[in-house]
Amino acid sequence: MIVENQVPLQAYNSFGIVARALHLARVRDEADVGALMAGSAWPVLTREAPPFVLGGGSNLVITGDVRALVLKVEIAGRRLVEETARGWVVEAGAGENWHGFVRWTLEQGWPGLENLALIPGTVGASPVQNIGAYGVELQDRFHSLDAIDLQTGQRFTLDAAQCGFGYRDSVFKHAPSDARGMGLAGRALITRVRFWLPRPWKPVLGYADLERKTAETGIHAPDARKIFDWICAIRSAKLPDPAVIGNAGSFFKNPTVSPEQCADIIARDPKVVHYPMADGSIKLAAGWLIDACGWKGRGVGNAGVYERQALVLVNRGGATGGEVMTLAKAIQTSVYERFGILLEPEPVVV
Ligand code: EPU
């Protein structure tokens, strides 16, 4: 198992931030991890910090050279595990490109992931932040995953309940020392993920952007392939392509507030975009809040706020992680001063 030194990370993070990994190993299968952990370099490389597991780098801000051992997950493979009258179980290696996997499932005739088309990143990263878009979250289609414990080398399997999914959240985002005491950040390396695609397939068309598509096209019973095409068109129109403009998708989570807090904000800003949630709380559109503070198109150094969607921070060319985080903090301050809400960043910061 080769550990590479001084590896440039610019191509491995969707923000396109220039930084290096002091040590990086490419994991192509489970045995690679075993070999690495059994080697004499492992205790030395992991003495000061736990290893850092890198997927597609699409939810990541790098603020300097990474000193922790970077494990770049490149595990490939896609297969049908099971087909019954009730649905399909489909598995992919953690290193597979997410969008390519979604397209492949549709080509095979297994619908269900179409609303999650064009999300950047890898299959292995998808459960970490419980990716979601247009009314579907990963947890709605999740079956189970395989992972390796980076402390003991043991392989284990988790079902949905064990992953502790929440809005853009899971056990993989929490340190083992977290209050809940079950965090797996820095401890688990996800190797394979299985998805549950139920039959009969039901389209999820409740989102305003999709309702607009049905109205525009007059297609009221689209198939999964059509929805996939619509989602690709909707996302391309408002979100920057990381291959062209560096970004990490939504930079902040949409905050939830109490109905009283929301009424207070509406009294001052009647146009605030808000959605009532099943638990009685109200979700606010963070993009709207940032936009209302006048941030669209502005920036700090080479880091900017995307012109078409204020929730997305972009690298206008040569931005550092420090510039991105300074911009993020300035946005947090102005949203807090105007609305009394502290926005929570979505990406992992290293
Ligand atoms: N809005 C503005 N100004 C802006 C941006 C948004 O007024 O600059 C308003 C929009 O007009 C709309 C509302 O805010 O009324 C919500 O905007 P949008 O529909 O674009 O969705 P979002 O809440 O900003 C979330 C997810 C996206 C996901 C979309 C669609 C989060 C943090 N983001 O964005 O996920 O694609 O819904 O489901 O939940 C991601 O996580 O990286 C991501 C792109």
Side-chain angles (χ1 to χ4, degrees):
M1 187 71 212
I2 301 164
V3 176
E4 300 162 48
N5 297 320
Q6 305 289 344
V7 181
L9 293 174
Q10 187 178 13
Y12 298 160
N13 75 97
S14 65
F15 251 118
I17 290 167
V18 176
R20 285 170 307 169
L22 301 197
H23 310 284
L24 180 145
R26 291 168 203 276
V27 172
R28 301 214 165 92
D29 60 29
E30 285 84 347
D32 280 348
V33 184
L36 199 59
M37 291 183 75
S40 57
W42 180 262
V44 181
L45 290 170
T46 59
R47 194 169 42 208
E48 279 170 32
F52 179 74
V53 180
L54 177 65
S58 62
N59 198 42
L60 181 64
V61 184
I62 305 178
T63 55
D65 289 347
V66 181
R67 311 190 75 79
L69 169 64
V70 175
L71 300 179
K72 184 162 187 302
V73 182
E74 298 181 351
I75 300 170
R78 310 182 287 211
R79 70 187 179 104
L80 179 69
V81 177
E82 192 186 339
E83 174 171 5
T84 69
R86 292 179 46 239
W88 299 272
V89 178
V90 187
E91 180 185 85
E96 290 284 344
N97 171 267
W98 172 261
H99 179 67
F101 172 64
V102 172
R103 194 175 38 214
W104 175 79
T105 56
L106 292 168
E107 283 163 6
Q108 304 305 307
W110 310 323
L113 297 175
E114 56 283 349
N115 290 49
L116 301 175
L118 219 56
I119 295 181
T122 55
V123 167
S126 65
V128 175
Q129 58 156 338
N130 185 21
I131 58 171
Y134 303 100
V136 176
E137 280 187 318
L138 179 107
Q139 69 180 86
D140 305 325
R141 301 285 180 270
F142 182 84
H143 180 277
S144 56
L145 61 78
D146 299 335
I148 299 179
D149 184 327
L150 293 172
Q151 279 176 13
T152 63
Q154 272 182 344
R155 298 183 190 184
F156 60 95
T157 296
L158 298 183
D159 63 20
Q162 291 166 317
C163 288
F165 290 124
Y167 168 57
R168 296 296 193 274
D169 199 25
S170 74
V171 289
F172 305 103
K173 281 187 105 172
H174 293 265
S177 57
D178 259 23
R180 289 190 294 173
M182 53 185 284
L184 288 173
R187 178 141 188 196
L189 183 144
I190 297 167
T191 53
R192 290 169 207 282
V193 186
R194 285 171 292 279
F195 300 87
W196 166 243
L197 308 177
R199 292 164 103 165
W201 169 79
K202 288 195 204 79
V204 179
L205 295 168
Y207 254 59
D209 283 333
L210 286 168
E211 281 174 357
R212 216 166 293 134
K213 283 282 179 198
T214 52
E216 268 166 31
T217 59
I219 302 172
H220 293 279
D223 61 11
R225 194 65 215 203
K226 180 53 81 189
I227 296 173
F228 173 90
D229 291 342
W230 285 351
I231 296 283
C232 291
I234 292 165
R235 288 186 74 94
S236 308
K238 71 162 102 172
L239 296 169
D241 177 354
V244 183
I245 306 172
N247 74 91
S250 299
F251 199 90
F252 298 99
K253 296 183 187 181
N254 284 328
T256 46
V257 296
S258 66
E260 296 75 32
Q261 238 180 321
C262 188
D264 193 45
I265 294 172
I266 292 172
R268 286 177 287 133
D269 288 280
K271 289 196 185 132
V272 64
V273 176
H274 59 286
Y275 317 93
M277 306 298 288
D279 65 2
S281 65
I282 315 272
K283 189 176 259 190
L284 303 179
W288 188 91
L289 301 173
I290 298 167
D291 198 359
C293 291
W295 276 102
K296 234 182 216 172
R298 285 172 58 200
V300 168
N302 293 318
V305 177
Y306 191 53
E307 285 77 6
R308 274 181 268 165
Q309 163 54 294
L311 196 49
V312 179
L313 305 192
V314 293
N315 178 356
R316 297 207 180 112
T320 63
E323 285 173 333
V324 172
M325 293 315 292
T326 305
L327 174 59
K329 291 209 171 73
I331 291 169
Q332 279 175 316
T333 303
S334 53
V335 169
Y336 188 78
E337 281 172 359
R338 172 149 172 199
F339 299 103
I341 292 165
L342 183 61
L343 293 180
E344 193 188 331
E346 215 196 284
V348 173
V349 182
V350 288

